Amino acid sequence: MILVLKPNASREQTDELLSRIKSMGLDVHISVGVDTTIVGLVGDTTKLDRLYFSSYDIVENVLKVTEPFKQANRMFHPNDTVIDVNGRKIGEGHFVIISGPCSVESEEQIVTIAKELKKAGASFLRGGAYKPRTSPYSFQGLGLEGLEFLKIARDETGLPIVSEIMSTDVLDRFVEDVDIIQVGARNMQNFVMLRELGRINKPVLLKRGLSATLEEWLMSAEYILNEGNEKVILCERGIRTFETYTRNTLDLSAIPAIKKLSHLPVIVDPSHATGKAWMVGTMSKAALVSGADGVIIEVHNNPRCALSDGEQSITPSEYSSIIPKIKMLAKIEEKQLEV
Ligand code: PEP
Ligand code: MN
């Protein structure tokens, strides 16, 4: 349930209303806009009577949120959420480019790629230290050593780092070492992990599950938000459909849909969505024009020898040729490129 307060609501009247709500065993989520203040009621509101709150003088309107996701809902937070990560902004009016190899393979590999990306223009360096592989015989990532190499690459280039967590056993290390923690598609509904990520103060990049609906995806975000961490970034990375030509099917229409349903930033991963390096540039441009707040692109200095996802990885020189086009489109779409 949402209470829209009148513009002239005084501090005292608002406090009185809030303590009444809390005494009912509910939590409150307040969003102060230019003209209106919105009070979101969090908890079991099914038995609440709308009329009860409309009798308060300062309440202009009482709205029922019919969707199961509440804190991720745009009704709770009419303005777009903008997340600041080391001075780079993710959300409304900004566009980020997160790039790097699928897996961190060695210090030399990640530092070399990071330097190329920095030169061409990038907002963040991404590399997997823990890899969720379909086969247990495939390369599983360098683990903590991979995080160390990422940190070296960050020191050398100044690019903040993004990496995927697969177990809360290493959560402390991720909080310490990484600037954005990625939750992969396969862990989108690892609710135990999502809850723990909700208790930290670090941005979480939440990828859409392989077959997740928008509602399921937003409910996963809700798990993180409900524990107090408001820094959630969504990532559309393609979904499973009957089509097999591409690795997944990039659901570009999810971008405007999410923008309508939620206030959270949403970025696109054209690499995992298509599985084809030659499509990455086109789909990155499409993502920007669709209203995405950024892209996450896999780049490898030697894709043919990559230990994972070589087929969908572009080279630094291909990457360099995409960036100027993104820059031009960002201008047309009035987005500030965060590089
Ligand atoms: C990845 O980012 O390398 C990855 C495994 O992505 P996803 O979880 O989207 O499959
Ligand atoms: Mn990958």
Side-chain angles (χ1 to χ4, degrees), residues 20-302:
R20 179 70 196 113
I21 298 168
K22 286 180 191 154
S23 74
M24 294 166 141
L26 298 167
D27 278 335
V28 281
H29 182 281
I30 303 174
S31 172
V32 183
V34 188
D35 310 311
T36 45
T37 297
I38 288 186
V39 179
L41 278 56
V42 184
D44 183 7
T45 57
T46 45
K47 292 192 187 72
L48 277 186
D49 187 354
R50 283 170 67 168
L51 291 177
Y52 175 78
F53 289 108
S54 34
S55 68
Y56 275 77
D57 262 1
I58 57 166
V59 174
E60 183 151 271
N61 207 355
V62 182
L63 306 167
K64 270 263 185 211
V65 183
T66 46
E67 290 92 359
F69 49 91
K70 310 292 179 192
Q71 297 178 65
N73 204 304
R74 189 172 276 287
M75 282 177 84
F76 259 58
H77 194 292
N79 297 326
D80 279 354
T81 285
V82 179
I83 299 168
D84 190 305
V85 191
N86 305 7
R88 289 155 174 85
K89 293 195 168 57
I90 309 180
E92 193 194 22
H94 303 271
F95 194 82
V96 289
I97 307 174
I98 303 172
S99 44
C102 180
S103 299
V104 178
E105 298 171 6
S106 67
E107 178 181 332
E108 195 200 347
Q109 175 242 21
I110 193 71
V111 171
T112 306
I113 297 174
K115 284 183 176 165
E116 298 266 16
L117 297 172
K118 173 78 182 174
K119 201 160 62 176
S123 325
F124 294 89
L125 172 67
R126 188 210 87 123
Y130 292 87
K131 295 307 305 174
R133 305 305 300 279
T134 304
S135 165
Y137 309 119
S138 303
F139 178 61
Q140 303 286 311
L142 295 179
L144 291 178
E145 192 185 26
L147 288 189
E148 290 306 316
F149 295 157
L150 275 169
K151 281 157 63 183
I152 294 169
R154 176 174 60 195
D155 288 345
E156 298 255 343
T157 59
L159 291 174
I161 53 181
V162 183
S163 201
E164 175 171 351
I165 192 164
M166 282 177 52
S167 159
T168 51
D169 295 351
V170 282
L171 181 57
D172 289 346
R173 285 299 299 271
F174 270 75
V175 172
E176 180 86 16
D177 292 345
V178 168
D179 300 293
I180 299 180
I181 302 178
Q182 176 178 324
V183 175
R186 289 153 194 83
N187 271 311
M188 187 204 83
Q189 286 189 318
N190 182 340
F191 299 120
V192 174
M193 184 150 90
L194 297 179
R195 271 210 188 93
E196 292 227 23
L197 290 167
R199 297 186 194 120
I200 59 169
N201 182 24
K202 249 305 126 132
V204 175
L205 179 77
L206 179 65
K207 289 191 145 196
R208 182 177 182 182
L210 275 71
S211 305
T213 63
L214 299 185
E215 188 171 294
E216 287 163 342
W217 188 16
L218 288 169
M219 288 310 286
S220 289
E222 192 82 8
Y223 266 90
I224 303 171
L225 298 169
N226 194 37
E227 297 296 326
N229 186 354
E230 295 182 352
K231 298 177 184 163
V232 179
I233 305 147
L234 300 168
C235 175
E236 160 61 37
R237 45 78 72 203
I239 47 171
R240 215 166 247 197
T241 67
F242 57 82
E243 182 54 70
T244 54
Y245 183 74
T246 45
R247 183 175 180 184
N248 293 289
T249 296
L250 176 57
D251 182 8
L252 270 185
S253 63
I255 306 304
I258 288 289
K259 288 278 168 199
K260 191 170 173 65
L261 295 168
S262 178
H263 53 89
L264 296 173
V266 56
I267 67 168
V268 167
D269 174 347
S271 309
H272 291 88
T274 64
K276 296 188 186 319
W278 61 270
M279 284 191 184
V280 167
T282 309
M283 291 299 110
S284 298
K285 291 184 284 181
L288 193 152
V289 176
S290 303
D293 300 299
V295 280
I296 178 163
I297 299 176
E298 284 190 342
V299 184
H300 198 284
N301 49 352
N302 189 357

